[in-house]
Every structure is written in C-alpha cells, then in structure tokens.
Amino acid sequence: MRPSNVGYIVGIMALFGLIYFIYRNQTKPLSAPDLYIRAPEGKLTQDELRSVFDETRKTVVHPQAFDPMVIPITRNSSFDYKAAMKKLNDAKVDQDDPRLIKLIRDYYIEAPSTEPYNLLNPERMEYSNGQTPFIDSRLNYMEGGFYIECGALNGEKGSNTLFFEKVRKWNGLLIEADPETYADLKSKHRKAFTMNACLNPKPYPAMMTFNRAFNRGRVVHDQEAKDWIKQQHIAKDEIQIQCFPLYSILLALNQLTVDFFSLDVEGEEYNVLQTIPFDKVNIKMMTVEFVHDKGSSAPLKTYVENKGYESMLQVSRWDGGVNDIIFRKKV
C-alpha cells in the first residue's frame, strides 16, 4: 500500500474516533458533578446537593397511589353547633380548648373529594407563580407530605399546593373564607380537607367581618384594614365568617407536622404567624406574602427568623401580583 493511502486511512480512523469520543461525552447520563462542574469542590455540601439534584424524583415516572388521610368526624344533625361556637367565641377560649377542637373537627372541616378532578387546566403540572418548584427541590422531591394553604382561592388559580397533591400525592388542608370562591374550590374536587373559614390574627376563635374581593379579600378587624381597603379602591362587600387560630385547626386534624404552609391573607400574615406556638408544631417550609405588611418585609422576616427559620428566597412578579418570602426551618 502506498504511504499516501496509509496516511489517508489513519486520518479517517482518527476522525471517526474523535467523533465517537465527542458523542459518548455529549450523550452520557448527567450526574451531580457534571451539573456543578463550575462550582469548586467544597462549595456545596452533600445535603445541598441532595436538595437540588435527585434525578429519580425530579419527574414522575410511574403511577402513584394516593393514600387519603382520615380523621374521626362525628356530626349530629340536631346539634346547634353554631350556638355552641358562639359561646366559645364570646369566651375567647384558648387555642387548645378541647371543646373548640371537637367543634372544628366535627362541623367545620370537610373531607377530601373522592371524585375525579374537575380542573380548567387538567394537563398542567404546576400552577403556582414559581414558589412550588423551589420548595419541591428543597424538600428533596418528597412524596406523601402534608400541606396547608390559607387563601386557597378556587383551588386551582395560582395554587401553591396542587402540584404536591397531584404529583407528589400529599394530603393537605385548603382554607378559603369567601363562600362563593369556596364553592368554586369544592367543585374542583381537590383531594384535600377544606374549610370555609379564615385564620384569626388573634389566638382565639371569633366571628369576624370579611370583605370579599376574590384574591384581595381580607378580614376587617381594625382601622388599618379599613384604610387599606379604601386605599386599594376595593368595593365594600362584607360578610361574617368564622375564624380560628391555625394551631386549633392543626389539633383538630391531629397533624402537628406540616411540610409546607402557604399563607396569603392580604395583610394579616404577620399577625397570624404570631398566634402559632412554633415550639409545639413542626412547620418545615413556608411561603408568606409580605407586601401588605406596612410596605416592608423586615418585621415579618425578623420574626420568622427568630423562630428558627432561614429566609431562602423572595418571589416577586413584575406586576406586583406576587410578593412572597420562602422560609425553611433550620435543622
């Protein structure tokens, strides 16, 4: 064989070898070191790596069975529970009063739906404004957790918890004060406990005035709330609604561990958080709206951090429709 032909063949083989090498390196499965190749070793702890990268849990690759939570509910159709509730309201009973806990469990909490979902966008996987994916990754894509969403609206639009229910198969509780919006929520057939109620910014049960305005509805219990409604040019549309401390509801559910708590109550977030005995409940992550907190997130942020949490992310949308802080409990 002539030397020129040998060189030609060697060159072709080298070219094919280079192409194969590039192909193998471009198509091999990604690993954590591949993703973090630009991060110097030691900059990310093993726990942080686990929280942001777990290929087996990032996507749902198999059907999952939903294990609905059950609580003992005993209702007596002849019992005037509203009159009994009024007495407890008037007495401003403690959050852990056994009579209050039983009334909440038997007459205010509604069981999860067993019917198929009735969603406007059933093909969607994620319905939040960005909070859910972040929280999902920080909880290591866990399945079978428990959530509470207060300010749940219709159970679909902007929901911070529907993903966890549909995809991760979590149990949970949805709280919505507006009766009309609550009826819409019930029509979605969420696999969660529901309550047509509100969270009291005080540590006792109370019948309170609630001004309806869909996603801007709020309790009106002081002059500051009245001034805010006026400043926001929100029409007056007031109803009376039963409100409870969050701790009382958790006791009624016999659920003192909450993996994710979403709180959006149009300006009462700081007051609601102050009613929670953080030494008695284990709330792992929270997303809390802050924009109505006198225009600053500082007091709310400082309070939660002093309760053993770290501020992880501030989520804001260009039009001002979302202003949340995401907190995670320190280990």
Side-chain angles (χ1 to χ4, degrees):
M1 184 178 294
R2 294 172 58 183
S4 59
N5 291 338
V6 172
Y8 176 77
I9 293 172
V10 170
I12 292 295
M13 292 178 64
L15 178 60
F16 276 106
L18 178 61
I19 293 172
Y20 179 72
F21 175 79
I22 294 172
Y23 170 79
R24 285 292 303 273
N25 279 275
Q26 290 297 318
T27 59
K28 69 178 183 177
L30 290 176
S31 62
D34 293 322
L35 292 182
Y36 296 104
I37 193 168
R38 292 185 182 144
E41 188 174 354
K43 291 294 184 181
L44 290 172
T45 67
Q46 193 61 36
D47 284 341
E48 287 172 329
L49 279 175
R50 279 197 297 267
S51 70
V52 298
F53 181 84
D54 187 332
E55 193 63 36
T56 62
R57 288 185 178 271
K58 269 194 170 182
T59 57
V60 178
V61 294
H62 58 85
Q64 302 173 80
F66 185 68
D67 185 18
M69 180 177 165
V70 177
I71 60 172
I73 295 177
T74 305
R75 290 184 177 175
N76 183 344
S77 59
S78 63
F79 176 61
D80 190 350
Y81 72 92
K82 291 185 178 180
M85 190 71 248
K86 184 179 185 306
K87 291 180 180 179
L88 300 184
N89 288 339
D90 293 342
K92 296 183 178 180
V93 297
D94 292 338
Q95 300 186 71
D96 59 355
D97 188 293
R99 296 168 298 174
L100 172 62
I101 306 310
K102 183 168 176 54
L103 276 178
I104 294 173
R105 180 186 296 125
D106 291 346
Y107 295 97
Y108 288 92
I109 295 176
E110 296 194 64
S113 175
T114 58
E115 299 182 42
Y117 282 117
N118 180 35
L119 304 172
L120 289 176
N121 298 285
E123 74 287 349
R124 288 183 62 177
M125 181 175 290
E126 209 281 290
Y127 297 79
S128 77
N129 291 283
Q131 300 93 324
T132 297
F134 181 85
I135 292 161
D136 186 40
S137 69
R138 268 45 185 188
L139 290 174
N140 200 26
Y141 315 103
M142 71 176 291
E143 297 172 4
F146 187 87
Y147 66 78
I148 288 187
E149 184 168 14
C150 186
L153 294 180
N154 67 4
E156 181 174 3
K157 180 179 174 61
S159 175
N160 288 335
T161 60
L162 184 49
F163 168 85
F164 293 110
E165 180 181 306
K166 284 180 62 180
V167 179
R168 303 297 184 211
K169 305 306 179 186
W170 288 25
N171 285 285
L173 170 68
L174 302 168
I175 304 173
E176 173 55 44
D178 186 333
E180 291 184 6
T181 307
Y182 181 75
D184 194 10
L185 182 157
K186 292 291 289 183
S187 74
K188 305 292 182 180
H189 302 317
R190 290 282 301 264
K191 314 310 174 195
F193 293 101
T194 59
M195 291 182 71
N196 182 202
C198 70
L199 294 184
N200 195 355
K202 301 292 183 181
Y204 47 79
M207 183 66 74
M208 303 185 72
T209 300
F210 182 85
N211 195 78
R212 302 191 296 183
F214 189 55
N215 64 333
R216 308 188 82 189
R218 68 173 294 177
V219 293
V220 186
H221 67 101
D222 58 15
Q223 190 59 46
E224 182 182 332
K226 294 177 182 178
D227 292 343
W228 179 83
I229 291 171
K230 186 176 180 180
Q231 292 165 5
Q232 297 295 315
H233 305 290
I234 297 174
K236 186 176 180 179
D237 187 8
E238 295 180 347
I239 59 171
Q240 296 299 302
I241 192 76
Q242 180 63 51
C243 301
F244 304 102
L246 177 65
Y247 183 52
S248 304
I249 296 171
L250 292 176
L251 289 172
L253 289 166
N254 194 29
Q255 184 74 33
L256 297 183
T257 293
V258 178
D259 297 290
F260 173 45
F261 176 35
S262 176
L263 181 61
D264 182 354
V265 287
E266 300 301 299
E268 295 297 336
E269 291 83 5
Y270 185 26
N271 294 328
V272 166
L273 289 171
Q274 288 182 303
T275 70
I276 301 174
F278 284 97
D279 59 328
K280 297 179 180 179
V281 298
N282 178 22
I283 302 176
K284 296 179 183 178
M285 292 197 72
M286 298 187 286
T287 179
V288 182
E289 189 181 44
F290 70 86
V291 69
H292 306 301
D293 184 25
K294 300 180 177 62
S296 170
S297 63
L300 185 152
K301 184 172 177 289
T302 299
Y303 179 80
V304 176
E305 288 176 349
N306 287 338
K307 292 298 181 180
Y309 289 80
E310 58 180 327
S311 302
M312 302 200 72
L313 186 70
Q314 182 171 313
V315 182
S316 296
R317 200 171 67 193
W318 66 272
D319 62 355
V322 177
N323 289 281
D324 290 0
I325 301 176
I326 297 177
F327 299 97
R328 180 170 66 178
K329 190 174 184 179
K330 295 178 182 177
V331 179

